[in-house]
Amino acid sequence: MKGTVHYEVRGNVALLTIDNPPVNPLSSGVRAGLDEGVKKAVADDAVEAIVLTGAGRAFIAGADISEFGGEAKGPSLGDCLELMESTEKPIVAAINGTAFGGGLEVALCAGYRVAAPSAPVGLPEVKLGLLPGAGGTQRLPRLIGAEKALNFILTGNPCPAPEAKALGIVDEVIEGDIVDGAIAYARQLVADGKANRRVRDITYKVEADRDNDEIFAAARKMAASRMKGQFAPEMIIQCVEAAVNSDNFDAGLAIERERFTQCLNHPQREAMIHIFFAEREVAKIPDIPKDTQVHNVQTAGVVGCGTMGGGITMCFANAGIPVTVLEMDDKALERGLGVIKRNYDIQASRGRMTTEEVDTRMGLITGTTNMEDLGQADVIVEAIYENIDVKVETFKKLDAVAKPGAMLASNTSYLDIDKMANATSRPELVCGMHFFSPANIMRLLEVVRGSTASKETIATAMQLGKRLNKIAVLAGNADGFIGNRMLSGYTRQAGEIILQGATPYQVDSVIQGFGMPMGPFQMADLVGLDLGWRARKLNGVKPEDVPITARVADKLCELERFGQKNGRGYYIYPEGSRAGQPDPEVVEIVEQTSAELGITRREISDEEVLKRCFYPLINEGARILEEGIAIRPCDIDIVYINGYGFPATVGGPMFWADKQGLDNILADIKRFGEEYGTDRWTPAPLLEKLVAEGKNFSSLQG
Ligand code: 3H9
């Protein structure tokens, strides 16, 4: 059995210390230890109170997620909690560190809760497609009322101890040694003749909320807009409704147990837990040991203060790292810094930061037009436009001004990192750091490993990603790396499908229905249709040489429909609106283009739209794995969820592919090959191999 609980008696207090490194989840051994420890303390007449705490940095991180789906060993958590709650000797939970999920639910079954100032508490089960299934949905509303409890459980966000005290979740925040403080607190309870308390017996808060339908209507509205397509939120709301609408605590608990089981058996739970582990897995690089020495990054430089450079500059400032940003001239610099300031001001006006914080962050940013000012930076990120010759020149110049040992990184989204590295005298210190737009918001960072970077450089870039609050995924140095390389087949198919009979609106609606934040044509409108059109004009591409999938976009540009930026693209955007409305004129243009190309339009089913858009992602993903551009399938999943909005509820494209059945996908790819040409639809050898061996992508997880 995994994990243990140490038992120690200090005077009249029994101290139970949960020990299951690194974060003390409630594995079988912990549950058994809790059960045994509480019984022992109850049976010992010399013990007058019990203190429960965690060893190391956490109190309890929750249920052991890796046990879900398997056979449970040892006593159930429910049995342990019932035992704690029925004990007459006061129990004090000494929350030394993170108390999440089942961990907080354990604390809610102690009569008293004290916490270290730095300890966060939370019920983050919703992020795993679950609900608090050990009484959290019943006890928390009794403690803090339904509205606050719903907000707490539906967001799943951590709540710092002082805030938890203000809410009434913890009784005291204790400075200094939390165990000593909790023991003193317990002794005082004994001295005062206090018995154990039971949250389940507190009724006045839920009674006050009874029949207040507005609370639940508001929660449903919030869940519908912010947690669209997720199964668990409605289950959570129903549990809290049960807590509020009846005096019968055990009946509420039974409802919670039933809804928890529904969530546990729901495919979203498996997908979201896959993401939880995948997020941790991507940090592990097989040939780079965890203890690899990293470079000390205290200051940063950024080349370019446009959309990407400005966003990257904000990332450094947000992480408290002083950053110098370089632009070509004063005008461009002023414009770039102005955009950064405006972005911060907007955040302040929405209450997301104070004006002092805006000043602090702006204070960390220094603008310059002189490259030599980057000379003291420990890392310099280049974020200029995508032209390999210009980038190579820039790297040569940066190499000349950067101090010895400074790392140089490129934000390129597809160009060859080796070419840039080899233009410098420090190729071992060069790698890619590909941010996603808007860089200050998007969580993904592709760290690109060329053939020259040292292990220390890659380890530093990965660690820096974490400091910048990103999820860093390592990618090999191939055109488009992981994300953009996979995307090309998706957008090409979308372009072909509309010429064959679908409308852009049908395609977008299918893709959005699947859970993506926007479809390919909404995305094109957002990015701007004119970018490709202008580039083709500049390069003198003849109309007949324009790829057929770009013909509609080019026609729209000829009509000055550039996308969201001027209110008209594939969609029409009423004044100031970002929500586009379909336009019959666009459908006519699409139909006319099909006719010009001699394509007979036909009805295309939603199912075909979905498969033709997503199967190229899977097929290319298989090639990327074969070539070692991504280390594991889960790395691809993390890239797509955090960089492209792939729904976490289906676990990322490779996880989703396994669930569809790789044999089914292979059969469809072959069929599409027969219908639409094998140039687009040739199965990746790895896909064929896995199907032949009866395996799926998860078998490559290692
Ligand atoms: C629940 O409680 C259901 C109940 O309501 C009902 C039950 C009936 N289980 O994140 P880190 C591993 S659902 C198993 O890198 P940090 C993690 O995989 C649960 N393993 O550290 C990693 O392993 P490795 C509700 C877990 O300091 C290692 O521990 N609770 C669990 O950055 C270190 O993790 C949650 O959702 C777990 N519960 O962050 C909390 N938690 O080293 C989930 C972690 O092999 N956990 N591991 O890669 C977290 O949010 C963070 O891990 C935490 C620590 C904040 C605790």
Side-chain angles (χ1 to χ4, degrees), residues 22-23 25 57 61-66 68 77 98 100-103 105 124-125 128 130-134 260 276-277 280 284 466:
V23 290
R57 66 184 197 256
D64 184 337
I65 302 169
S66 62
F68 290 149
L77 184 56
T98 309
F100 280 177
E105 290 173 298
E125 285 89 341
L128 304 173
L130 284 170
L131 54 84
F260 180 79
F276 175 85
F277 285 118
R280 280 139 189 95
K284 298 169 191 160
K466 204 166 176 188

Side-chain angles (χ1 to χ4, degrees), residues 55-274:
R57 66 184 197 256
F59 174 66
I60 301 172
D64 184 337
I65 302 169
S66 62
E67 282 184 359
F68 290 149
E71 206 185 310
K73 287 192 216 128
S76 78
L77 184 56
D79 290 345
C80 294
L81 299 187
E82 218 177 295
L83 175 68
M84 282 175 66
E85 228 179 18
S86 62
T87 299
E88 285 183 11
K89 294 178 184 177
I91 303 183
V92 179
I95 305 175
N96 54 303
T98 309
F100 280 177
L104 179 56
E105 290 173 298
V106 167
L108 291 176
C109 288
Y112 304 85
R113 287 161 293 282
V114 298
S118 60
V121 304
L123 292 173
E125 285 89 341
V126 71
K127 296 182 184 176
L128 304 173
L130 284 170
L131 54 84
T137 66
Q138 304 304 298
R139 290 190 180 89
L140 196 65
R142 283 175 162 76
L143 208 52
I144 67 174
E147 191 176 1
K148 287 178 184 159
L150 276 166
N151 183 47
F152 194 93
I153 303 172
L154 286 173
T155 61
N157 290 334
C159 171
E163 218 174 283
K165 174 160 191 285
L167 276 170
I169 298 174
V170 302
D171 302 297
E172 281 305 333
V173 173
I174 293 186
E175 305 276 350
D177 189 294
I178 182 72
V179 172
D180 289 348
I183 289 176
Y185 189 90
R187 288 198 177 124
Q188 192 60 48
L189 291 172
V190 173
D192 294 345
K194 296 268 171 70
N196 211 12
R197 296 184 305 193
R198 304 198 315 168
V199 173
R200 60 183 283 155
D201 296 335
I202 306 170
T203 53
Y204 72 98
K205 292 232 163 152
V206 284
E207 276 167 11
D209 288 336
R210 200 156 292 165
D211 302 322
N212 185 345
D213 295 338
E214 274 174 31
I215 296 175
F216 297 98
R220 287 198 164 89
K221 199 168 158 209
M222 189 277 262
S225 77
R226 292 204 221 147
M227 312 170 90
K228 211 169 138 202
Q230 289 188 34
F231 181 73
E234 173 57 27
M235 298 293 104
I236 289 170
I237 295 168
Q238 288 180 15
C239 289
V240 177
E241 267 176 335
V244 165
N245 291 334
S246 160
D247 285 327
N248 187 338
F249 181 84
D250 289 322
L253 218 50
I255 289 176
E256 182 192 83
R257 203 167 305 127
E258 193 275 333
R259 302 295 193 273
F260 180 79
T261 306
Q262 280 196 48
C263 291
L264 197 64
N265 294 332
H266 197 281
Q268 288 187 3
R269 189 273 306 165
E270 198 190 342
M272 291 167 91
I273 286 186
H274 161 73

Side-chain angles (χ1 to χ4, degrees), residues 76 290 392 427:
S76 78
K290 214 174 151 190
V392 163

